[in-house]
Amino acid sequence: IKAHARTCCAVAFSPDGGRLASSGGDAWADDGRPGVVRLWDASTGRELPAPRGHPASVLGLAFSRDGRRLATCGADKFVKVFEVPAKAGEAPKFVKSFEGHTHHVMGVGWTPDGKKIASCGADNFVKVWDYEKGEKLRDMQGHQKQVTSLVFVGKTPQFVTGSGDASVRMW
């Protein structure tokens, strides 16, 4: 699959393996060109309607554990959530956004129960959000440089982050 004309920044499979999401843009650009998220049928490689909503590069994305929502994050300093329709021909719908990072948001993930989202960014922070209330629960700091990636550990509420300071942390 040739996914993007510019840089492909992140990929994620839906939990059932049926869909692949990819995000792109010029990895650090905030130049007014919209970020791109593309969705694919994983078994056929056919492109599906995809969400639109970031005015700059989309640097990370993650499906919720039930596969019904897709969280995206990017150079616009936002985390955005889209509802992924059950029918493959329908476009995802914007649900809500989370604002609080002061620099590019580089990674995002869902707790296994789908009640919280964690995000990490070039502002050196990890933020945890209450999905339903749309509120920030906490700021977490420990890395000395940008936090570039985030992944939850199996079905636990623990997650691991990687940073430009060459460290990995378990939270």
Side-chain angles (χ1 to χ4, degrees):
I1 295 172
K2 174 134 174 74
H4 298 274
R6 296 181 282 156
T7 304
C8 183
C9 300
V11 294
F13 269 103
S14 60
D16 67 1
R19 294 186 185 165
L20 170 69
S22 62
S23 67
D26 292 325
W28 287 97
D30 191 3
D31 59 6
R33 292 187 284 179
V36 177
V37 174
R38 298 180 82 182
L39 287 176
W40 312 91
D41 180 304
S43 64
T44 66
R46 183 175 61 100
E47 188 169 2
L48 304 171
R52 304 278 181 249
H54 286 277
S57 297
V58 180
L59 304 173
L61 39 78
F63 282 96
S64 59
R65 179 82 54 185
D66 63 10
R68 295 184 2 221
R69 295 182 304 269
L70 179 67
T72 62
C73 62
D76 61 357
K77 306 175 192 168
F78 281 87
V79 172
K80 296 187 178 184
V81 177
F82 299 87
E83 186 177 300
V84 179
K87 289 187 176 183
E90 297 175 12
K93 293 179 179 69
F94 172 76
V95 179
K96 61 178 74 175
S97 64
F98 299 86
E99 180 180 12
H101 283 278
T102 59
H103 210 301
H104 296 28
V105 187
M106 303 181 76
V108 65
W110 293 87
T111 56
D113 63 9
K115 294 182 179 181
K116 295 181 186 107
I117 294 174
S119 60
C120 63
D123 56 5
N124 304 0
F125 278 94
V126 175
K127 297 183 181 288
V128 179
W129 311 89
D130 180 303
Y131 174 73
E132 289 301 321
K133 293 180 182 175
E135 299 173 352
K136 182 177 65 173
L137 295 173
R138 74 177 66 119
D139 287 330
M140 302 165 78
Q141 196 169 20
H143 290 291
Q144 301 305 307
K145 291 187 177 180
Q146 68 273 12
V147 189
T148 57
S149 59
L150 180 149
V151 64
F152 275 85
V153 180
K155 295 180 180 180
T156 75
Q158 295 178 310
F159 57 90
V160 176
T161 55
S163 170
D165 65 11
S167 70
V168 173
R169 288 182 164 262
M170 174 83 76
W171 305 83

